[in-house]
Amino acid sequence: MRTTSLNGAAAGAMIVALGLGASACSTPVPGGGSALSASDSPAARLEALVALDRRVAAVGFRLTTASVDLCASRRDVAGWTLHAANQYSDALRPVAEARFGLDGDLPGVLAVADDSPAARAGLSAGDLLVRVNGEDLEAGHGSGPPSHDGLAANLARLDQALAAGPVRLEVRRGSTLRAVALQPIPACSSFFQVDPSDEYNARADGRGVFISSTMAAYAADDDDLALILGHELAHNVLQHHPSPEPLGDPDPVPETALARGNHWTQERDADRVGLFLAARAGFDTARAPGFLRRFGADNWRIRYAQIGHASAEARARALEETNAEIAAQRAAGRPLRP
């Protein structure tokens, strides 16, 4: 299980189960061709997961920062994806250490979103964070079974620093240490997680957005990926799955935050709001109806109506109506708002 978070970690595939119980809006379709294969070398598996993590993180950053005004729960983010050596399995750990220069539990930069605070601060993949606001981050031990605990403790310290921003970091790149100043920006508080799986699946639980590696690979275009992630993020924005443990203390609910809506229309509402989220983030939503029709043609469980979900064709027609609504708001010079 991997975690791709605006401030968070990439927890390696065959590595650590974080125990995040996602629920609802799950549309699994068995038999999909996975982006991962057990027959691949550890290096190939790692690179495939890294590529998916980077795409999901980049799309997620755009979605959550473009619509922060609609979210009742927000936090300050850097726009990076972090990981650590100790979270990887015995097979992948030496590969990850050599590939990214990782050291124990110290957070290493896996990816940096375009035009993010991390990018503007000059951070890039392979950088290792060793100190925050003058205090050492904990490296832990470089051996033992895979564990996310040490990295999680370092991430908590980084999140605390970002919440009080700006942040002073000491960063190791190769053998060079340098000081970096970073000014975080607000975003919706959801994180994004890629789960290695051969099922087509995406879901949300109020705190996070979860997508299978096969589903992420199927959405080969970022505009299509934004449709899927936007739908799941909409569930969190609409508070369809309120979390008992939100990411940090939520800010006072802004006047622009969206109402939760009716339980019986949750999936329809998430389709509509999710398309607005994608449009607000600059993605091409005109592709969305066609993507759903292709997905329905490839997967019979999507093709037909299910409990809580309309058929792919009905959803595609509804998205066409939403695109017309988006176009009308743009033509009138109005800010996009569901």
Side-chain angles (χ1 to χ4, degrees):
M1 184 175 291
R2 299 173 67 81
T3 300
T4 299
S5 170
L6 299 178
N7 288 340
M14 303 65 61
I15 306 169
V16 177
L18 300 181
L20 297 172
S23 63
C25 195
S26 174
T27 311
V29 182
S34 176
L36 311 174
S37 171
S39 63
D40 290 339
S41 69
R45 295 202 305 275
L46 178 64
E47 288 303 317
L49 286 165
V50 165
L52 292 177
D53 273 334
R54 285 174 170 165
R55 286 189 63 220
V56 169
V59 172
F61 177 79
R62 287 175 61 180
L63 290 170
T64 52
T65 53
S67 291
V68 63
D69 59 306
L70 302 181
C71 297
S73 181
R74 297 159 290 172
R75 62 174 178 157
D76 292 321
V77 301
W80 56 31
T81 303
L82 305 176
H83 60 159
N86 284 348
Q87 68 185 113
Y88 284 98
S89 65
D90 291 341
L92 290 184
R93 188 178 300 174
V95 178
E97 288 172 335
R99 172 74 171 79
F100 295 105
L102 298 176
D103 180 7
D105 292 321
L106 290 176
V109 177
L110 179 68
V112 171
D114 290 343
D115 199 29
S116 66
R120 291 193 288 272
L123 296 175
S124 61
D127 286 343
L128 196 67
L129 310 185
V130 298
R131 186 170 290 114
V132 57
N133 290 340
E135 296 185 1
D136 291 338
L137 294 168
E138 296 295 330
H141 301 288
S143 60
S147 172
H148 186 260
D149 293 345
L151 175 60
N154 282 329
L155 293 180
R157 292 177 62 186
L158 288 168
D159 282 346
Q160 185 177 24
L162 289 169
V167 175
R168 293 176 292 108
L169 299 168
E170 190 166 315
V171 178
R172 183 190 305 163
R173 181 178 293 177
S175 59
T176 303
L177 285 175
R178 63 193 181 97
V180 171
L182 185 147
Q183 176 64 61
I185 61 174
C188 302
S189 62
S190 292
F191 63 83
F192 296 81
Q193 179 165 305
V194 179
D195 294 338
S197 171
D198 61 0
E199 292 190 341
Y200 294 100
N201 196 4
R203 59 201 189 277
D205 73 346
R207 297 180 72 241
V209 169
F210 306 81
I211 185 170
S212 70
S213 54
T214 298
M215 187 75 251
Y218 181 85
D221 189 282
D222 283 354
D223 295 312
D224 298 335
L225 184 59
L227 169 67
I228 300 167
L229 298 180
H231 173 99
E232 303 305 335
L233 177 61
H235 279 302
N236 291 347
V237 171
L238 293 167
Q239 304 175 71
H240 288 164
H241 311 291
S243 170
E245 298 179 5
L247 289 176
D249 295 327
D251 295 326
V253 177
E255 293 181 0
T256 53
L258 301 178
R260 179 173 297 180
N262 188 305
H263 171 77
W264 300 107
T265 64
Q266 283 188 1
E267 295 306 322
R268 184 183 68 194
D269 293 344
D271 271 351
R272 177 176 174 274
V273 172
L275 204 64
F276 267 91
L277 299 180
R280 286 166 63 104
F283 292 101
D284 180 9
T285 61
R287 297 175 52 93
F291 174 80
L292 265 181
R293 289 185 172 107
R294 291 194 304 275
F295 193 32
D298 290 341
N299 302 284
W300 66 268
R301 290 191 184 178
I302 308 300
R303 192 178 314 150
Y304 303 109
Q306 304 175 62
I307 296 175
H309 290 81
S311 68
E313 178 57 32
R315 293 176 67 188
R317 290 196 300 269
L319 289 180
E320 288 171 341
E321 294 175 0
T322 302
N323 269 328
E325 187 180 357
I326 290 170
Q329 290 190 17
R330 283 176 168 154
R334 294 162 49 197
L336 295 183
R337 181 173 174 80

